[in-house]
Amino acid sequence: MLHRVALASFLLFVRASAARYHPTAAFLLSVQRPLTQSRHSSTSTSSLKMKFNDAPIVSVSDAFDGGNGKFVETTISGGQATVKVQIKPDIFTFLEKKHHFQHFYFRSAVKGAGTVKYAITNAGNASYAKAWKDSTTFASATPSDPNSWKRVLDTSYDSSTGHLTWSYDHKASGSVYFAYFPPYSYERHLELISRCEASPACEVESLGKTLDGREIECVTLGSGDRTCWIIHRQHPGENMAEFYAEGLLTRLLGLDTAGSVDGMVAKVLKMYTFHIVPSMNPDGAARGHLRTNACGANLNREWASTGEEGSDDYYEAPTLERSPEVYHVLRKMDETEVDAFIDVHGDEALPFNFLAGSEGCTNWTPKLKALHGAFLASYERANSDMQRKISYEPDEPNHALTNICSNQIALRFNCFSATLEQPFKDCLTNPDPERGWNPARAAQLGKSVIDALAYIHPYLRDETEFWNSLSSEDAYIRPTDKYN
């Protein structure tokens, strides 16, 4: 009889809350679930109800641009609410034969105040599960403001359970958003494009449409004799890449200074004609994917066909049916040709900004080696958030994967070409635990690349052995992924 009275009292409490919050049936079931006594607990139902009433009521959702977080259940133990969430996987990737996932971004609507523990229960099966170590979740109550996001410092990963957990002290009723990295929404993307369109210093054109019907915008500016392409966010969950693009375009176009630009920009715009794609994968970004577009294609594996034509393992790429984003951009590159190229990404594991070069390509020569070294050394001088010693282990000579973007461009145009990676974690060159690597610093890194491009401009098509006259400070350093 006591159990029935307690349950009736609790249901009245839920109905009263529902009048204001209108929770779904699934939510009502989830908050009733904690009334089931744990097999490890001897606490009575009535005391469980009392402790449950002391804990905040939480509703999790991800039905918004870029959202990803499936509510699993809420459990209560000792008055502590634990909200369990799972990351939704990307669409199956045919070439790699897997469902990628790691990106998360969800809303927690809370009634009441108190500390809530959050657990991502399938983190151990994520694409880069080992990268969770030393990662910290971001939190914000105003998600559209990139500067509002702060890291939750008690984030931890338990490899034995595969759970990524953190606690958050909700001071009052309201909503808080949690994310792997602060979001760069499609609305913000369109706003950036509009600001560029309003500038008389550039031309914005659509190179084609994505599978979901979004435009693939390219911003062209400058009048120089060398052509530089910079593309961003092939992997949609790597939001820092588009913050980098925003910083780059802001400096080049003077978007925050009524079109007025600094002396270095004025100089570099006479050196280069720039073609800048702020977002290669807007469909995947809107869908909350980590690495793939609307049909499951990993765009950074779509820059050339693989396998032998006619064989069972032949994979044609790019195609309009699967990877129109790459198809249209590559076609435009063939029109303009390329003298310098950067593909901007984010990396889950390494806590550094770094450059991955084309060392494994068949055309890796002393010239390309010298350009890589000089570019990176100049970049490091311009912004100490960049460094040279840590990166992916370089490919062995003549063993580069030619369907990867920067390798394909290096081979196709025999030019300086690199993949630029930014960390999801705190950046160990300049640690800042509470904010870590963040949108503002990504934007600043985008602004700083202009100095490095200006430095290597004279050498891009120089056929002399110019590297013999470069300073020793510009020498190529073979990187390693070992830093501890």
Side-chain angles (χ1 to χ4, degrees):
M1 186 65 181
L2 178 60
H3 289 259
R4 293 179 180 175
V5 171
L7 180 59
S9 299
F10 171 70
L11 289 175
L12 285 172
F13 172 80
V14 170
R15 290 191 188 101
S17 300
R20 180 177 178 184
Y21 282 87
H22 305 290
T24 63
F27 170 63
L28 290 176
L29 286 172
S30 73
V31 295
Q32 289 179 46
R33 214 172 268 131
L35 288 177
T36 304
Q37 189 169 330
S38 167
R39 60 194 174 116
H40 301 295
S41 172
S42 59
T43 309
S44 69
T45 304
S46 57
S47 62
L48 268 173
K49 171 181 174 293
M50 178 187 65
K51 290 176 180 177
F52 175 71
N53 285 344
D54 290 340
I57 297 176
V58 180
S59 178
V60 167
S61 61
D62 67 352
F64 46 82
D65 182 358
N68 188 323
K70 178 184 177 182
F71 173 76
V72 178
E73 65 174 348
T74 299
T75 61
I76 304 293
S77 177
Q80 170 71 63
T82 299
V83 176
K84 297 180 180 179
V85 178
Q86 289 191 344
I87 303 172
K88 298 175 182 177
D90 292 6
I91 296 170
F92 184 75
T93 307
F94 179 77
L95 183 64
E96 297 171 279
K97 301 291 190 294
K98 67 188 302 182
H99 290 279
H100 282 290
F101 70 90
Q102 190 124 359
H103 162 82
F104 64 88
Y105 171 34
F106 62 87
R107 175 191 179 196
S108 177
V110 175
K111 178 175 174 57
T115 300
V116 175
K117 182 178 179 180
Y118 293 87
I120 294 181
T121 59
N122 63 343
N125 296 321
S127 297
Y128 307 99
K130 291 182 179 179
W132 292 124
K133 183 178 182 294
D134 299 326
S135 293
T136 42
T137 296
F138 274 96
S140 172
T142 52
S144 62
D145 177 7
N147 296 320
S148 69
W149 292 83
K150 298 293 185 291
R151 291 178 180 259
V152 183
L153 298 183
D154 76 342
T155 305
S156 65
Y157 175 65
D158 185 340
S159 59
S160 64
T161 63
H163 289 191
L164 181 76
T165 61
W166 66 91
S167 297
Y168 191 85
D169 184 14
H170 295 272
K171 302 296 185 182
S173 297
S175 295
V176 175
Y177 294 76
F178 299 103
Y180 191 27
F181 195 86
Y184 198 105
S185 68
Y186 189 60
E187 180 180 5
R188 188 180 184 94
H189 167 83
L190 293 178
E191 181 182 349
L192 175 61
I193 295 299
S194 294
R195 294 170 69 199
C196 293
E197 289 174 329
S199 170
C202 73
E203 177 185 345
V204 179
E205 66 174 315
S206 173
L207 303 183
K209 289 189 176 180
T210 67
L211 293 174
D212 282 345
R214 294 182 175 87
E215 307 291 351
I216 306 165
E217 296 99 348
C218 179
V219 181
T220 300
L221 69 158
S223 58
D225 61 349
R226 296 290 177 252
T227 301
C228 178
W229 276 80
I230 307 178
I231 68 171
H232 308 78
R233 208 176 177 185
Q234 285 202 80
H235 294 147
E238 297 165 8
N239 303 326
M240 62 284 287
E242 195 159 3
F243 283 110
Y244 181 107
E246 184 176 306
L248 170 62
L249 287 166
T250 296
R251 186 179 180 194
L252 283 174
L253 293 170
L255 295 181
D256 288 345
T257 52
S260 179
V261 298
D262 62 72
M264 178 59 76
V265 169
K267 180 180 176 181
V268 85
L269 288 176
K270 294 177 182 177
M271 295 177 172
Y272 288 96
T273 299
F274 287 97
H275 301 277
I276 299 169
V277 181
S279 179
M280 285 287 294
N281 199 340
D283 290 355
R287 288 167 172 253
H289 289 181
L290 174 71
R291 288 178 74 82
T292 68
N293 70 357
C295 75
N298 176 352
L299 296 186
N300 202 27
R301 301 296 184 272
E302 294 281 323
W303 290 81
S305 299
T306 55
E308 191 171 333
E309 190 169 359
S311 66
D312 291 340
D313 66 345
Y314 179 68
Y315 183 90
E316 184 182 2
T319 67
L320 285 171
E321 295 74 23
R322 184 176 53 246
S323 47
E325 302 90 345
V326 175
Y327 179 91
H328 290 302
V329 169
L330 191 54
R331 185 176 64 173
K332 186 67 174 180
M333 286 180 171
D334 285 337
E335 289 180 16
T336 67
E337 299 191 341
V338 182
D339 297 306
F341 174 77
I342 305 171
D343 180 18
V344 182
H345 285 258
D347 182 77
E348 292 82 1
L350 293 175
F352 299 93
N353 290 290
F354 61 92
L355 212 64
S358 56
E359 290 93 332
C361 291
T362 54
N363 65 334
W364 179 256
T365 58
K367 176 182 177 178
L368 291 183
K369 181 178 178 180
L371 284 171
H372 185 102
F375 173 85
L376 198 46
S378 176
Y379 207 161
E380 187 179 49
R381 290 192 290 269
N383 188 329
S384 63
D385 278 335
M386 181 54 74
Q387 54 79 49
R388 294 185 281 172
K389 295 181 179 179
I390 306 299
S391 178
Y392 303 135
E393 296 289 342
D395 292 329
E396 292 300 315
N398 305 321
H399 282 75
L401 296 176
T402 60
N403 62 331
I404 290 178
C405 178
S406 59
N407 289 338
Q408 177 58 212
I409 301 307
L411 288 166
R412 198 180 194 99
F413 301 102
N414 193 28
C415 70
F416 166 72
S417 177
T419 301
L420 188 152
E421 299 279 359
Q422 302 170 76
F424 279 85
K425 301 177 182 180
D426 191 9
C427 181
L428 293 191
T429 49
N430 293 298
D432 181 0
E434 184 179 359
R435 288 166 293 192
W437 191 248
N438 58 57
R441 289 172 73 182
Q444 189 59 48
L445 193 68
K447 294 178 181 180
S448 302
V449 74
I450 294 167
D451 299 68
L453 287 168
Y455 187 71
I456 64 168
H457 173 267
Y459 310 113
L460 290 173
R461 294 301 179 189
D462 189 341
E463 296 305 324
T464 70
E465 295 184 357
F466 64 85
W467 50 90
N468 292 324
S469 62
L470 290 175
S471 166
S472 59
E473 294 179 355
D474 295 334
Y476 169 82
I477 297 174
R478 181 180 175 86
T480 177
D481 62 5
K482 299 173 179 60
Y483 61 92
N484 288 329

